[in-house]
């Protein structure tokens, strides 16, 4: 199948002190455009997929710069609207070794938080769409974002589109009076592919499953009982040795069958931000091109390689990811 991938979510600016400096010792910062769903869109476009991103940015030179950045990947921006509110941003101190990274957000009154559902014609936005991807961050930002996303999910479900969700729960969001677990359970019910693990399932169902293999399988079965539209569940496991050394692994339950990938080790870590988004993008690409088990291996390799790339977005090509997936992780120079 050759349909488009449509993503919906905030475009946000990341500001970071150079290197591994703290804010207190810094006088300058570098910035990156990103956002969870945009990271997925950009990675997929880098791998050669046809992608459309739906969002709302500020009606100023910052928003224009964001759109120019998105267009540079070949992403369709025709459904990115503008309003008078500023683009959301966040600050990141990149940790090292035993010092953890730290993030502070400024997004709850930004342009995306003030998106208007009536500005999006979902029938047109979803034309020729094969996959529609969303995350739990978007409905946590504002009532407007929640309402807009829900309309998109209803339209996508009616069209029979594969709906992938990473129901990421962020406790520092959900400030507008809605219950995060209730809304996520509602919106996940429109979805067909779940990208998350025991933590996400426990948040949605208010359960206490363990994170081991047996707990994961039981959690998946419980989730499918509540949300029968889900026919595939994929999970990313990250084992943090230190802030500078990580291990990644994927596991899944599809049609009652459990399978997992090998462990991949990343040391040193250059940038942890966006690694989950790289996993989601790798999975969607893999599902379009491979069987489920190979798709999971491809996603895990995409996640691992993103740890070596600065910024929010995974710039690795499909060929780069396939090399890591196939065991070529020695880092020899390509000549």
């Amino acid at each position: 199948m050759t349909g488009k991938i449509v993503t919906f979510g905030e475009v946000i600016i990341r500001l970071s002190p150079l290197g591994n400096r703290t804010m207190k010792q810094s006088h300058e910062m570098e910035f990156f455009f990103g956002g969870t769903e945009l990271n997925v869109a950009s990675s997929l476009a880098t791998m050669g997929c046809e992608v459309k991103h739906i969002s709302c940015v500020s009606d100023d030179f910052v928003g224009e710069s964001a759109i120019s950045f998105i267009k540079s990947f070949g992403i369709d921006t025709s459904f990115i609207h503008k309003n008078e509110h500023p683009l959301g941003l966040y600050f990141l101190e990149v940790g090292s070794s035993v010092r953890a990274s730290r993030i502070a957000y400024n997004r709850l009154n930004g342009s995306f938080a003030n998106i208007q559902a009536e500005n999006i014609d979902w029938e047109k936005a979803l034309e020729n769409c094969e996959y529609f991807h969303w995350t739990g961050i978007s409905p946590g930002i504002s009532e407007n974002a929640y309402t807009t996303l829900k309309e998109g999910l209803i339209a996508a479900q009616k069209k029979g589109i594969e709906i992938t969700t990473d129901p990421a729960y962020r406790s520092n969001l959900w400030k507008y009076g809605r219950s995060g677990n209730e809304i996520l359970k509602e919106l996940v019910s429109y979805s067909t592919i779940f990208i998350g693990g025991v933590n996400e399932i426990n948040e949605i169902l208010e359960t206490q499953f363990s994170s081991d293999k047996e707990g994961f399988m039981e959690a998946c079965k419980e989730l499918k009982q509540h949300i029968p539209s889900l026919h595939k569940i994929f999970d990313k496991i990250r084992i943090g040795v230190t802030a500078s050394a990580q291990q990644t692994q994927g596991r899944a339950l599809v049609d009652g069958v459990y399978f997992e990938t090998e462990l991949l080790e990343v040391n040193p870590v250059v940038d942890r931000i966006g690694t989950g988004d790289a996993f989601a993008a790798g999975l969607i690409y893999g599902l379009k091109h491979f069987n489920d088990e190979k798709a999971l291996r491809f996603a895990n390799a995409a996640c691992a390689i993103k740890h070596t790339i600065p910024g929010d977005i995974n710039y690795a090509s499909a060929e780069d990811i396939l090399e890591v997936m196939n065991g070529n992780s020695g880092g020899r120079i390509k000549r």
Side-chain angles (χ1 to χ4, degrees):
M1 298 180 69
T2 58
K4 292 181 182 178
I5 301 163
V6 176
T7 54
F8 172 83
E10 184 175 27
V11 180
I12 193 169
I13 297 177
R14 162 180 155 185
L15 295 166
S16 289
L18 299 179
N20 295 98
R21 293 175 179 268
T22 66
M23 287 283 288
K24 290 179 181 179
Q25 67 182 140
S26 301
H27 301 285
E28 56 184 340
M29 290 187 286
E30 56 185 348
F31 77 92
F32 304 90
F33 288 112
T36 297
E37 300 85 358
L38 176 59
N39 297 342
V40 174
S42 302
S43 179
L44 284 163
T46 299
M47 290 186 278
C49 297
E50 189 177 2
V51 186
K52 177 187 294 180
H53 188 62
I54 300 173
S55 190
C56 188
V57 300
S58 55
D59 190 9
D60 54 23
F61 68 90
V62 181
E64 284 292 339
S65 299
I67 290 175
S68 294
F69 172 77
I70 297 167
K71 284 182 176 179
S72 71
F73 290 91
I75 295 171
D76 183 345
T77 62
S78 58
F79 283 83
I80 296 182
H81 295 270
K82 298 177 182 177
N83 62 29
E84 69 277 11
H85 298 275
L87 203 68
L89 58 86
Y90 72 100
F91 299 89
L92 168 70
E93 286 184 347
V94 179
S96 181
S97 187
V98 297
R99 177 169 62 86
S101 298
R102 298 196 300 176
I103 290 177
Y105 289 104
N106 186 349
R107 69 198 306 179
L108 296 182
N109 294 300
S111 51
F112 183 77
N114 288 279
I115 193 171
Q116 300 298 313
E118 60 267 23
N119 289 338
I120 298 176
D121 183 341
W122 283 105
E123 281 297 313
K124 288 186 177 180
L126 295 172
E127 284 181 353
N128 301 316
C129 174
E130 181 185 358
Y131 283 84
F132 177 52
H133 181 71
W134 67 279
T135 81
I137 291 175
S138 293
I141 292 175
S142 70
E143 181 80 24
N144 287 347
Y146 156 66
T147 302
T148 306
L149 172 59
K150 183 176 178 180
E151 289 188 8
L153 290 170
I154 291 171
Q157 186 185 59
K158 287 180 180 178
K159 287 177 173 287
I161 294 167
E162 287 280 18
I163 301 174
T164 59
T165 178
D166 172 2
Y169 178 79
R170 298 289 185 270
S171 58
N172 57 350
L173 300 177
W174 302 99
K175 304 295 186 183
Y176 62 98
R178 293 278 187 175
S179 167
N181 63 319
E182 289 180 9
I183 294 302
L184 289 177
K185 186 176 181 180
E186 175 197 12
L187 297 183
V188 170
S189 70
Y190 294 101
S191 304
T192 58
I193 298 173
F194 188 91
I195 307 173
V198 173
N199 289 341
E200 289 75 23
I201 294 171
N202 283 339
E203 288 288 353
I204 292 170
L205 301 183
E206 298 183 280
T207 49
Q208 294 183 335
F209 291 104
S210 63
S211 59
D212 57 17
K213 176 182 174 180
E214 289 71 24
F216 171 72
M217 294 179 67
E218 289 302 315
C220 290
K221 291 173 183 176
E222 183 76 10
L223 181 64
K224 282 180 64 64
Q225 284 186 353
H226 284 84
I227 306 175
S229 63
L230 295 173
H231 60 97
K232 298 180 182 182
I233 301 173
F234 297 92
D235 182 26
K236 169 187 62 64
I237 304 171
R238 178 166 44 213
I239 303 168
V241 182
T242 68
S244 304
Q246 303 283 315
Q247 293 177 322
T248 69
Q249 186 179 31
R251 60 184 177 180
L253 191 71
V254 177
D255 296 328
V257 178
Y258 174 89
F259 51 93
E260 64 184 30
T261 73
E262 70 278 21
L263 276 170
L264 293 178
E265 185 167 345
V266 186
N267 187 7
V269 171
V270 173
D271 198 327
R272 267 188 57 178
I273 301 297
T275 54
D277 307 330
F279 181 90
L283 182 66
I284 295 168
Y285 180 92
L287 291 171
K288 283 174 66 69
H289 294 85
F290 315 128
N291 63 33
D292 293 336
E293 292 193 44
K294 188 172 180 180
L296 182 63
R297 292 178 59 224
F298 187 87
N300 189 45
C303 175
I305 203 170
K306 170 58 189 75
H307 284 78
T308 71
I309 298 173
D312 287 25
I313 293 167
N314 186 9
Y315 285 87
S317 68
E319 291 74 19
D320 294 333
I321 297 167
L322 282 168
E323 285 202 13
V324 173
M325 185 188 83
N326 291 327
N328 184 11
S329 55
R332 293 188 65 182
I333 297 174
K334 297 179 181 179
R335 301 182 186 274

